[in-house]
Amino acid sequence: MIALSVDLGHARTGLAVSDKNGFLASSLCVITEYNDEKLIQKIAEKVKETKAEIIVVGLPRNMDGTEGESAQRAREIAEKLTQVSGVPHHMQDERGTTITAHNYLSAGNVYGKKRKQKVDAVAASIILQNYLDSQK
């Protein structure tokens, strides 16, 4: 089953996709968009292009497990994505994924503008890999 994951941001949103077997997550791209409706349309296009069968949306919980405004926005966007694309979604806890993504990029000596352009897609791949691993 092909899965597409979404790491929502206010300006940049990272996407990642799995292989057909649902074994490995790979960074796909970063979408720069401030308007949520346009963002949903752009993500829905990627869902169609990749033939994704499930959308995994990162759920930004606080470290104590509570949910704030960002989590509410993520849930709303996930619902709208399912309505627009016709593909079901799953909310995946994303605590610590951006920090882990920065650590991966540091280990690969990726800094500056390149890092800023890639960190959200790497975070999306971590969210997706966590989801895929939980399904085994």
Side-chain angles (χ1 to χ4, degrees), residues 13-25:
T13 296
L15 302 181
V17 67
S18 74
D19 62 330
K20 289 181 182 180
N21 297 323
F23 182 73
L24 185 64

Side-chain angles (χ1 to χ4, degrees), residues 70-85:
S70 294
Q72 183 59 38
R73 176 177 174 254
R75 288 188 185 280
E76 289 170 5
I77 288 176
E79 285 295 329
K80 289 178 183 175
L81 262 173
T82 292
Q83 291 170 3
V84 170
S85 69

Side-chain angles (χ1 to χ4, degrees), residues 5-8 14 16 25 56-59 90-95 97-98 120-134:
S5 69
V6 180
D7 178 38
L8 290 167
V56 179
V57 180
L59 183 62
H90 171 81
M91 302 305 296
Q92 179 70 32
D93 190 344
E94 68 169 36
R95 283 180 282 185
T97 58
T98 301
D120 299 299
V122 172
S125 69
I126 295 166
I127 292 166
L128 184 54
Q129 193 64 55
N130 289 342
Y131 168 77
L132 295 173
D133 292 347
S134 75

Side-chain angles (χ1 to χ4, degrees), residues 48-62:
K48 188 175 179 180
E49 284 175 22
T50 60
K51 299 181 175 129
E53 300 166 75
I54 189 163
I55 304 165
V56 179
V57 180
L59 183 62
R61 289 189 168 135
N62 298 320

